[in-house]
């Protein structure tokens, strides 16, 4: 898509305003749905298969990344029917280690890039960061937008950066665009960022880095699900959604799956189109899965500590 500052501004500010009260009420209402027995077992396995198992710490070591990769392939070593996770997400310098550890599996390697988590770097630096991750074997790139540029109304700058990173990815890696919704201040801005990201070429739109106080919430994820639904209705192009940060237990994860099904529809109930950016979530899903299989709650000592 070709764009100018004026056309982008006119389009983005012409989007319908978000009814905040209505949005939060609908998210809360969908969160009360009760999921039982076989449906719950299906939802737990689906949620496990949608996790981007993540470590993004300055103290990450090759050993930690290899251990995380092993857990992604066999989340519960005592039960090989447990699904693998969707991906392992690491910094670019750990991509080669993750790729080698995951060789022969279906688990993808995702890498944060573009000066994560602040996104405050010149475009050549962001492109080099992305190129390094892809050269090392990344299947997916999680980029962050420049929130300062977006909030200052420099929409074309943000659009062009996303488009440039997408071009760098080519057909070698899928691109997830992180908005850091907790810093965008309003639901209207989240809606605008969602459309901006999709129009610029995002394969996924993602709530958060997990590095700020407010990350994924049912309301902001619902808003992004509405955006991808409406975008496909208008363009025929399907875009994925990834809530990240703050989703820690099975009950919360299932609420998000209900949001997906009831808002975007069952076409998104697949890890090609929906992901959880999480680490601690997996252990709770495994404990709940063990409880359903054995009738007993195993407790945290029966799962690995990441």
């Amino acid at each position: 898509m070709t764009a100018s500052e004026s056309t982008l501004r006119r389009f983005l500010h012409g989007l319908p305003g978000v009814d905040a009260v209505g949005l939060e009420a609908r998210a809360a209402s969908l969160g009360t749905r009760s999921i039982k027995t076989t449906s719950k077992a299906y939802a737990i396995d689906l949620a496990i298969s949608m996790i981007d198992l993540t470590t993004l710490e300055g103290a990450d070591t090759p050993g930690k990344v290899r251990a995380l990769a092993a857990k992604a392939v066999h989340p519960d070593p005592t039960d090989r029917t447990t699904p693998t996770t969707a991906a392992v997400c690491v910094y670019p310098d750990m991509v080669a280690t993750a790729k080698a550890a995951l060789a022969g599996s279906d688990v993808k390697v995702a890498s944060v890039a573009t000066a994560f988590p602040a996104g405050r770097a010149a475009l050549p630096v962001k492109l080099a960061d992305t190129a390094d991750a892809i050269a090392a074997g990344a299947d997916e790139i999680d980029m962050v937008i420049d929130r300062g540029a977006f909030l200052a109304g420099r929409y074309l700058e943000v659009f062009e950066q996303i488009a440039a990173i997408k071009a760098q990815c080519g057909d070698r890696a899928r691109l997830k665009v992180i908005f850091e919704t907790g810093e965008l201040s309003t639901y209207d801005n989240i809606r605008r960022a969602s459309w901006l990201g999709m129009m610029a070429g995002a394969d996924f739109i993602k709530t958060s880095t997990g590095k700020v106080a407010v990350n994924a919430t049912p309301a902001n994820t619902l808003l992004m699900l509405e955006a991808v639904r409406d975008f496909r209705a208008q363009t025929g192009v399907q875009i994925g959604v990834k809530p990240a940060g703050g989703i820690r237990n099975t009950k919360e994860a299932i609420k998000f799956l209900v949001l997906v099904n009831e808002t975007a529809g069952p076409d998104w109930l697949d890890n090609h189109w929906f992901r959880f950016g999480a680490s601690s979530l997996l252990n709770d899903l495994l404990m709940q899965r063990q409880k359903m299989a054995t009738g007993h709650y195993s407790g945290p000592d029966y799962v690995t500590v990441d």
Side-chain angles (χ1 to χ4, degrees):
M1 172 183 172
T2 58
S4 69
E5 194 72 74
S6 60
T7 55
L8 278 174
R9 179 175 299 279
R10 186 162 53 248
F11 176 82
L12 295 174
H13 285 263
L15 292 169
V18 179
D19 173 3
V21 174
L23 178 75
E24 292 173 357
R26 175 162 173 75
S29 173
L30 290 172
T32 64
R33 299 283 176 87
S34 180
I35 306 295
K36 301 295 185 184
T37 58
T38 55
S39 294
K40 184 176 180 181
Y42 168 77
I44 288 172
D45 278 5
L46 184 59
I48 291 171
S49 78
M50 290 173 163
I51 288 177
D52 283 1
L53 197 57
T54 302
T55 184
L56 297 171
E57 303 298 334
D60 286 342
T61 63
K64 182 178 181 181
V65 170
R66 284 191 288 267
L68 202 69
K71 184 170 183 174
V73 176
H74 297 299
D76 182 352
T78 69
D79 183 354
R80 293 302 176 96
T81 68
T82 309
T84 63
T85 70
V88 167
C89 185
V90 293
Y91 277 114
D93 65 319
M94 289 292 174
V95 167
T97 300
K99 193 73 174 180
L102 293 167
S105 77
D106 294 327
V107 180
K108 305 296 185 185
V109 177
S111 180
V112 296
T114 66
F116 179 94
R120 305 305 290 262
L123 181 57
V125 174
K126 294 182 178 184
L127 290 171
D129 202 21
T130 303
D132 285 349
I134 293 173
D139 303 295
E140 301 171 354
I141 295 295
D142 290 36
M143 73 164 285
V144 285
I145 67 166
D146 182 339
R147 279 85 74 193
F150 179 88
L151 290 169
R154 302 199 306 272
Y155 300 132
L156 183 60
E157 180 180 332
V158 179
F159 179 98
E160 289 179 337
Q161 289 205 0
I162 296 169
I165 301 299
K166 173 61 178 175
Q168 184 76 274
C169 292
D171 56 9
R172 295 170 296 171
R174 297 178 81 201
L175 177 63
K176 307 191 196 93
V177 177
I178 309 169
F179 303 135
E180 201 69 288
T181 51
E183 294 184 346
L184 294 188
S185 303
T186 69
Y187 288 130
D188 285 342
N189 276 339
I190 296 171
R191 175 171 281 170
R192 290 170 188 147
S194 297
W195 279 86
L196 183 64
M198 293 187 293
M199 292 189 297
D203 296 300
F204 263 80
I205 54 175
K206 177 178 171 181
T207 61
S208 326
T209 63
K211 301 294 187 181
V212 299
V214 179
N215 294 290
T217 68
N220 63 34
T221 304
L222 172 58
L223 184 56
M224 291 166 65
L225 288 164
E226 290 175 347
V228 298
R229 176 199 65 198
D230 296 344
F231 188 79
R232 189 178 75 167
Q234 291 192 25
T235 67
V237 177
Q238 187 163 342
I239 307 295
V241 175
K242 179 179 172 180
I247 306 168
R248 296 185 174 87
N249 61 54
T250 300
K251 185 176 181 180
E252 291 172 355
I254 290 175
K255 288 180 180 180
F256 277 82
L257 294 181
V258 171
L259 288 178
V260 175
N261 188 63
E262 297 297 319
T263 306
D267 286 354
W268 273 265
L269 286 175
D270 182 283
N271 69 10
H272 195 72
W273 300 114
F274 192 80
R275 299 282 180 84
F276 292 106
S279 293
S280 58
L281 171 61
L282 179 57
N283 280 353
D284 192 74
L285 288 164
L286 293 174
M287 288 188 288
Q288 292 296 330
R289 193 177 192 273
Q290 292 166 0
K291 181 182 178 183
M292 293 194 74
T294 66
H296 303 288
Y297 188 72
S298 299
D301 292 340
Y302 288 80
V303 293
T304 59
V305 178
D306 302 324

